[in-house]
């Protein structure tokens, strides 16, 4: 089987578990004598908003469990996950995808977004509108239903609940900073800074996209040393920040046919890494250009901003290359410093890093 076929088969097996999750959630609604209309609505909500993305977060739980349980100290695979182990890991993975769906349904309403994953945003579909607020809550509630149903008897059940509650709050804090720093309809670059950008990406993205999948897998695999979780966080949060800086950079410099979208961060007044680096190095004249043109829904304004980004004294491409090299050295240094006695396997973090390093989409 080729690498492409293996990746597809892995995704298809994971997607198969989602069908079971939907069935269990709908069975609960039926047991509560919910009307058929409500059952059909919830099914559509789950299936429209949850499985359509890359599924990287959910699949990372399975990958991490597999490394922790099925490889030896030389990173050689010595066995396969049992069906029960796979099912538990996949359910935890889908709980993260449900969390992601909850965030995105709400985020699209806050941002008045038009499309998501190539389709109309949920709230924009006919007959939905503000009902999407409750639909977002129901996506989040599904997480705790599934955790209770499948993990209540496990000694780590409380830790799973704690992880989801903590990370949800952290993500919402990041969203708050983002919303009050860079509202789409009010451009004020004096509110921007690399420190604000750091807080936004760490809290809004890194905790739930990078730390949560690994921490859930560690709990499932019986890792109880709290220092191991601190060590994992010390590696995964910088890795998540590096990922988001990449994302910001690719929004401006990635090829649309490769990244699958046309970048809009400049038009949308995003507090991105690009604009913050430019602000930190801009001359007074360049700052005036940025103030007058950033966040304006105009292609000529966008180009003027890009011209500043590409100016010799700012050189965003060069600064990103420097940032990428420094991030590689820093993160690899942290991975290599993991003590063998910690219960952590370096391959967990190497696998994560290899997925994102020098990506083009």
């Amino acid at each position: 089987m080729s690498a492409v076929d293996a990746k597809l088969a892995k995704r298809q097996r994971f997607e198969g578990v989602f069908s079971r999750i939907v069935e269990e959630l709908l069975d609960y609604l039926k047991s509560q004598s919910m009307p058929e209309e409500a059952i059909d609505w919830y099914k559509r909500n789950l299936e429209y908003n949850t499985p359509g993305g890359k599924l990287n977060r959910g699949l990372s739980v399975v990958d991490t469990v597999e490394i922790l349980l099925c490889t030896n100290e030389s990173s050689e695979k010595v066995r396969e996950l049992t069906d029960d182990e796979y099912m538990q890991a996949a359910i935890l993975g889908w709980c993260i995808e449900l969390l992601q769906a909850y965030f995105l349904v709400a985020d699209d309403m806050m941002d008045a977004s038009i499309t998501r994953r190539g389709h109309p945003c949920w709230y924009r579909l006919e007959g939905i509108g503000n009902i999407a607020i409750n639909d977002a809550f129901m996506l989040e509630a599904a997480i705790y239903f599934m955790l209770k149903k499948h993990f209540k008897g496990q000694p780590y059940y409380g830790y799973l609940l704690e992880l989801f509650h903590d990370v949800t709050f952290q993500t919402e804090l990041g969203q708050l900073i983002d919303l009050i720093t860079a509202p789409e309809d009010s451009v004020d670059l004096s509110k921007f800074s690399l420190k604000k950008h750091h807080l936004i990406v760490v809290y809004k993205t890194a905790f739930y996209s990078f730390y949560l999948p690994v921490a859930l897998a560690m709990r499932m695999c019986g890792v109880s040393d709290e220092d191991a979780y601190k060590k994992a966080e010390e590696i995964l949060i910088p890795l998540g920040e590096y990922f988001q800086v990449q994302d910001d950079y690719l929004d401006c410099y990635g090829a649309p046919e490769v990244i699958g979208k046309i970048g809009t961060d400049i038009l949308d007044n995003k507090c991105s890494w690009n604009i913050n680096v430019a602000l930190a190095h801009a001359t007074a004249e360049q700052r005036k250009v940025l103030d007058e043109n950033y966040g304006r829904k105009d292609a000529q304004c966008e180009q003027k901003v890009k011209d500043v980004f590409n100016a010799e004294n700012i050189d965003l491409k060069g600064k990103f290359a420097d940032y990428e090299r420094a991030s590689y050295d820093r993160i690899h240094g942290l991975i290599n410093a993991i003590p063998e006695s910690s219960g952590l396997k370096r391959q967990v973090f190497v696998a994560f890093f290899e997925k994102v390093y020098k990506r083009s989409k």
Side-chain angles (χ1 to χ4, degrees):
M1 186 184 291
S2 71
V4 174
D5 289 341
K7 188 175 180 180
L8 180 61
K10 187 169 143 183
R11 182 183 173 106
Q12 288 174 337
R13 185 184 184 191
F14 184 66
E15 287 175 328
V17 176
F18 184 66
S19 301
R20 171 175 169 173
I21 288 171
V22 172
E23 186 179 331
E24 290 180 357
L25 288 164
L26 298 184
D27 283 346
Y28 173 71
L29 266 64
K30 291 171 187 174
S31 76
Q32 301 302 301
S33 301
M34 292 291 115
E36 199 66 35
E37 183 185 10
I39 295 168
D40 290 344
W41 186 288
Y42 195 31
K43 182 175 190 287
R44 186 180 174 211
N45 175 16
L46 289 162
E47 293 179 343
Y48 191 90
N49 292 305
T50 312
K54 297 174 185 175
L55 307 181
N56 286 339
R57 296 167 183 84
L59 285 166
S60 292
V61 181
V62 178
D63 291 344
T64 303
V65 168
E66 197 167 47
I67 291 168
L68 291 174
L69 294 183
C70 302
T71 63
N72 60 22
E73 295 305 317
S74 303
S75 299
E76 298 166 332
K77 195 167 184 181
V78 293
R79 71 173 180 91
E80 299 291 335
L81 290 173
T82 66
D83 288 344
D84 284 346
E85 287 168 343
Y86 180 85
M87 184 59 66
Q88 285 189 315
I91 287 169
L92 289 176
W94 277 111
C95 283
I96 302 182
E97 295 297 334
L98 284 163
L99 184 67
Q100 161 88 334
Y102 157 58
F103 289 148
L104 295 184
V105 169
D107 192 52
D108 286 342
M109 294 188 76
M110 286 182 262
D111 290 347
S113 297
I114 306 299
T115 60
R116 167 71 65 183
R117 297 168 174 166
H119 300 285
C121 296
W122 176 248
Y123 80 97
R124 291 183 60 84
L125 296 183
E126 185 177 352
I128 293 177
N130 285 341
I131 299 174
I133 298 170
N134 192 63
D135 291 334
F137 296 156
M138 290 188 70
L139 291 167
E140 185 194 26
I143 298 166
Y144 298 100
F145 177 88
M146 296 306 298
L147 292 177
K148 182 178 179 181
K149 182 175 177 65
H150 291 276
F151 298 96
K152 189 176 180 183
Q154 300 294 341
Y156 53 84
Y157 174 58
Y159 290 110
L160 299 181
L161 296 177
E162 183 179 72
L163 273 167
F164 272 102
H165 285 310
D166 287 352
V167 170
T168 299
F169 190 27
Q170 287 163 329
T171 307
E172 289 161 351
L173 286 171
Q175 174 74 337
L176 173 62
I177 302 168
D178 195 13
L179 289 168
I180 63 179
T181 300
E184 200 168 328
D185 58 351
S186 176
V187 181
D188 182 358
L189 298 186
S190 67
K191 291 183 176 181
F192 287 17
S193 69
L194 281 167
K195 182 178 180 182
K196 285 257 187 81
H197 178 264
H198 167 78
L199 286 170
I200 291 167
V201 302
V202 165
Y203 281 85
K204 188 177 175 180
T205 300
F207 276 110
Y208 94 95
S209 298
F210 286 80
Y211 177 67
L212 183 59
V214 173
L216 290 172
M218 289 167 64
R219 289 298 179 192
M220 181 187 147
C221 295
V223 178
S224 57
D225 182 0
E226 293 304 317
D227 286 340
Y229 291 88
K230 290 178 186 172
K231 182 63 69 177
E233 185 178 319
E234 286 171 6
I235 296 169
L236 292 163
I237 297 306
L239 185 52
E241 184 173 12
Y242 164 65
F243 173 86
Q244 188 58 52
V245 170
Q246 266 186 327
D247 215 51
D248 291 355
Y249 178 79
L250 290 171
D251 184 90
C252 185
Y253 292 103
E257 65 273 15
V258 176
I259 65 174
K261 63 178 182 178
I262 297 171
T264 61
D265 282 0
I266 294 172
L267 300 173
D268 294 343
N269 190 37
K270 293 295 184 183
C271 183
S272 74
W273 183 83
N274 300 333
I275 184 62
N276 282 296
V277 170
L279 290 170
H281 295 88
T283 64
E285 186 179 340
Q286 289 170 328
R287 174 58 188 258
K288 187 171 184 291
V289 172
L290 294 174
D291 282 329
E292 291 174 352
N293 293 279
Y294 197 78
R296 307 299 195 270
K297 306 288 189 184
D298 181 277
Q300 289 184 323
C301 292
E302 182 185 32
Q303 188 56 52
K304 287 177 183 178
V305 172
K306 288 184 176 182
D307 289 343
V308 173
F309 286 179
N310 294 325
E312 190 175 346
N313 64 307
I314 293 176
D315 183 24
L316 259 180
K317 288 185 178 181
K319 286 187 171 55
F320 177 74
D322 293 341
Y323 172 85
E324 190 159 53
R325 278 192 296 272
S327 296
Y328 179 92
D329 292 341
R330 179 188 176 199
I331 294 166
H332 261 272
L334 290 167
I335 293 171
N336 291 331
I338 296 173
E340 298 292 343
S341 59
S342 67
L344 288 177
K345 291 184 178 177
R346 292 175 185 169
Q347 186 57 33
V348 168
F349 306 98
V350 171
F352 247 100
F353 195 70
E354 287 176 348
K355 287 177 185 176
V356 302
Y357 183 61
K358 285 192 178 291
R359 67 190 174 99
S360 59
K361 62 181 179 180

